[in-house]
Amino acid sequence: MENLTRVLALALAAAVAPAADWSYYRSGPVEVWTDGDQDTARSALASFDQLRHWTARVLGRDEIDPLWPVRLIVLKKPGNLRSAHLELKRDAYTALMGAKDTAPQAWMADYARALLRDDSKTMPRHIEESLIALLSTMEVTNSRIRLGAPPAKPDIDFARMHLFLVDPEWAGKARVFFSNMQQGAPYDTACRNAFEKTGKEVEAEVESYFRAGKFEARQVSGKPLNADRDYRERPGEEARAKLLLADVTGDTAAYRQILNASEKNADAFEGAGMYREATEAGSESARAWCRYALAEKDVEKARAALRKAMELNPRWAEPHAQWASLETDPGRRAVVFGKATELDPRNTRYWIELARAQSDSKDFSGAARSWRSAEISAPDAATRAKITAQRKAYDQERYDLEAAEKKRIEDERQKELDRLKQEALAKIREAEAKANAGGGPTEKPVEWWDGPKPDVTVTGQLLRVDCGRGPSAPARWTVRDEAGKARVFRVPDPSMLAIVGGGEVGLGCGPQNPARRVKVEALKSGEVLTVEFLR
């Protein structure tokens, strides 16, 4: 680290010397800073611009954007600071290259991966990875693009993408294929819709193409572009350039040097890991606010910080996931984790946490779906196998939990019904005791039934019971009254039916043989309120 800091300090000193003349160029989410090599800066910007345009076109989209902005730095004397990859540093995807360099193929792959991960629906992993591998071969000169130079050992997945996107006979139809795959269509369906061939037929063509091994780079059309005309040069501040150079390595010592040597600013505080100070300085970085919330012990202050992070980057899922971890109610926690999975459906951890929250809130079917989504989102076979085992264990647990929950509800319902019956009986006995005591006026007996008042009372023979099939098809009783007329009554829930005299009476479905003599009290609608089985 000491050597790295020394190298960075030397680079910073050279970069911000009085003779340095910083400028930058911008297009969409990409910004390129340079200390003097404008041609290389414009060329790098054009490469990223065309890759973004081409990725959107392949997916059948008008636009596609990374979750975070991209900052590239072109230095005349980069020393050992050249970046092997495009990496998320502080608040942007960041990388540094030297003058007269071209944007490395690894950077192009990293940018394509970020675009797919951040702003596209999930496709099968081998489809996405081979698409990234092909896009990374893009060579850009303004509007001219060459695509498809093969790697040292191309595999059949690379051959498939090369056939779909480079071969002129297939390239014009490929966007339908990718659109279908993003919608979750089976491979065979996507092939039929795009190429009018079955999946098996397409794979035969891919195999033949792979065996032929003629993977030549070809010129393809790109976004109309003139880098000299379309990318306006903007003056860059030395203080800003110094900060961006510190972002390249993420070395906290470099940020502290900036804080010690200049006016305190929110970005340097963030780089130094001083997130509270960054937010107090008015940081506009969603990542700074989110990290401050993670360390804040006061729940309300943490929520306020997370709310600010959501405002600064509404597409970012992590603030929602952190908010969910603060929720004590499992139902509310499930709702917030649901938002996190909506924003980042590729995040396996979010799906697992959502499944657990849904299980805790007794949403068992929702939890089962989330476990399935966790399997689909798994980044590799080993992780998928582990999640599959967890999901199968949950499936068994789910049956037990559902059965236990159903029994709990039934027990509570029966307990409440028994309580009401016992209260009613107690009132009846109290009234009877007062009446039997005699000795003057007595209070009016308290009626045992405190539910809805019956409209109809019928005494007769219970001839038939048609058992119900749920709330939409309740049970029906046919009773022949004393005048000989058959009357039909509805019994929505036999377990909630009040039986005068207590006890339980078993009734089979169909004709009652022998017919039971009953007294039925019901509403005008025909719904039975009470029944008394007479001798």
Side-chain angles (χ1 to χ4, degrees):
M1 179 59 72
E2 183 178 350
N3 290 336
L4 182 60
T5 303
R6 188 179 299 113
V7 170
L8 179 59
L10 291 173
L12 289 174
V16 298
D21 187 12
W22 283 95
S23 59
Y24 69 95
Y25 304 86
R26 179 185 296 157
S27 178
V30 183
E31 194 173 81
V32 183
W33 282 66
T34 181
D35 62 350
D37 194 336
Q38 285 79 12
D39 289 341
T40 302
R42 285 191 174 102
S43 176
L45 183 55
S47 294
F48 274 66
D49 210 358
Q50 291 288 17
L51 178 61
R52 174 171 166 259
H53 169 79
W54 228 79
T55 303
R57 191 175 71 175
V58 165
L59 299 179
R61 301 267 299 279
D62 292 328
E63 289 285 344
I64 187 169
D65 289 301
L67 183 60
W68 305 103
V70 176
R71 290 200 196 101
L72 309 178
I73 302 174
V74 177
L75 278 186
K76 288 181 177 179
K77 298 179 180 180
N80 294 326
L81 289 181
R82 283 185 174 89
S83 304
H85 288 278
L86 187 69
E87 298 180 83
L88 182 57
K89 299 290 187 73
R90 199 171 55 79
D91 68 339
Y93 297 116
T94 304
L96 183 146
M97 62 193 292
K100 309 307 178 186
D101 290 349
T102 57
Q105 189 167 328
W107 291 13
M108 302 292 277
D110 293 335
Y111 189 41
R113 183 172 288 106
L115 291 170
L116 291 177
R117 180 187 62 238
D118 296 348
D119 197 18
S120 77
K121 294 182 179 179
T122 306
M123 295 183 287
R125 193 160 299 275
H126 74 283
I127 295 290
E128 288 191 352
E129 289 301 319
S130 56
L131 174 58
I132 290 167
L134 185 76
L135 290 173
S136 71
T137 68
M138 184 176 292
E139 301 171 20
V140 177
T141 306
N142 288 324
S143 299
R144 295 192 300 276
I145 299 175
R146 287 184 61 79
L147 190 70
K153 293 183 179 180
D155 57 17
I156 196 164
D157 288 331
F158 181 86
R160 186 183 296 107
M161 286 301 108
H162 200 284
L163 175 64
F164 287 2
L165 295 175
V166 180
D167 188 289
E169 293 184 9
W170 293 69
K173 306 172 184 177
R175 71 180 63 185
V176 176
F177 170 82
F178 288 106
S179 178
N180 276 231
M181 293 302 289
Q182 287 185 92
Q183 300 304 318
Y187 182 74
D188 183 76
T189 302
C191 289
R192 289 175 184 271
N193 291 340
F195 309 120
E196 298 182 349
K197 299 176 185 288
T198 66
K200 188 175 181 180
E201 290 170 336
V202 168
E203 284 305 292
E205 297 254 16
V206 170
E207 180 67 32
S208 176
Y209 194 74
F210 176 59
R211 286 198 306 269
K214 296 180 180 179
F215 305 117
E216 298 178 356
R218 293 186 180 178
Q219 186 165 322
V220 295
S221 60
K223 173 183 179 180
L225 179 64
N226 184 314
D228 292 332
R229 179 195 63 208
D230 297 335
Y231 300 146
R232 179 169 63 87
E233 182 178 1
R234 305 163 190 252
E237 296 178 358
E238 290 184 0
R240 181 66 175 169
K242 202 172 187 179
L243 178 75
L244 299 185
L245 284 168
D247 286 342
V248 172
T249 63
D251 180 16
T252 57
Y255 293 113
R256 289 182 181 276
Q257 271 190 336
I258 295 171
L259 290 170
N260 292 333
S262 64
E263 180 183 350
K264 306 300 186 282
N265 66 76
D267 291 335
F269 277 127
E270 180 188 1
M274 303 167 69
Y275 303 115
R276 179 186 296 274
E277 291 82 354
T279 60
E280 290 173 350
S283 174
E284 292 297 312
S285 167
R287 284 167 57 81
W289 283 95
C290 196
R291 291 195 177 189
Y292 160 59
L294 194 61
E296 178 55 63
K297 293 181 180 179
D298 185 303
V299 173
E300 290 310 312
K301 289 182 179 179
R303 284 178 172 161
L306 291 173
R307 193 177 294 111
K308 180 66 174 179
M310 294 173 192
E311 292 172 1
L312 289 169
N313 192 339
R315 294 173 54 203
W316 191 25
E318 184 60 23
H320 298 272
Q322 285 193 31
W323 187 294
S325 68
L326 300 175
E327 294 287 350
T328 56
D329 177 71
R332 179 60 188 164
R333 189 163 63 249
V335 170
V336 184
F337 265 123
K339 179 63 176 179
T341 59
E342 178 186 327
L343 290 171
D344 188 2
R346 298 167 183 267
N347 193 305
T348 304
R349 178 175 67 87
Y350 295 166
W351 284 113
I352 292 174
E353 293 293 344
L354 173 58
R356 289 171 175 164
Q358 288 170 323
S359 179
D360 290 343
S361 62
K362 301 196 171 41
D363 179 8
F364 303 118
S365 59
R369 290 193 297 271
S370 294
W371 277 114
R372 288 286 187 186
S373 295
E375 281 183 276
I376 294 171
S377 68
D380 52 61
T383 304
R384 186 174 296 107
K386 183 177 179 180
I387 294 172
T388 299
Q390 289 178 299
R391 192 258 305 165
K392 288 181 178 178
Y394 169 76
D395 284 345
Q396 182 56 53
E397 180 185 6
R398 171 191 174 190
Y399 300 137
D400 297 338
L401 290 171
E402 286 180 327
E405 180 66 8
K406 183 177 180 181
K407 185 176 185 304
R408 183 190 67 79
I409 293 173
E410 290 176 351
D411 289 347
E412 288 185 356
R413 187 189 316 176
Q414 186 60 47
K415 184 178 179 180
E416 178 64 13
L417 182 59
D418 290 344
R419 185 186 67 80
L420 292 173
K421 287 181 180 179
Q422 291 301 319
E423 287 181 358
L425 285 172
K427 291 178 181 179
I428 292 172
R429 286 168 182 164
E430 181 183 352
E432 288 175 344
K434 288 182 179 180
N436 292 335
T442 61
E443 295 180 9
K444 183 180 179 181
V446 178
E447 297 183 4
W448 75 272
W449 176 255
D450 60 358
K453 301 301 180 183
D455 301 308
V456 178
T457 300
V458 174
T459 301
Q461 301 289 325
L462 177 60
L463 302 179
R464 181 181 179 86
V465 174
D466 293 306
C467 294
R469 298 188 300 277
S472 62
R476 294 181 179 274
W477 288 8
T478 303
V479 177
R480 184 170 59 209
D481 63 19
E482 292 178 331
K485 181 180 178 181
R487 308 183 68 165
V488 178
F489 297 92
R490 293 185 298 106
V491 184
D493 188 351
S495 68
M496 298 297 293
L497 186 63
I499 302 176
V500 177
E504 295 186 4
V505 177
L507 295 175
C509 299
Q512 303 298 296
N513 190 13
R516 304 287 298 274
R517 182 168 171 74
V518 296
K519 180 180 178 181
V520 174
E521 292 184 326
L523 299 173
K524 288 181 180 179
S525 64
E527 181 178 332
V528 176
L529 295 178
T530 68
V531 61
E532 180 180 0
F533 290 88
L534 306 173
R535 295 184 181 278

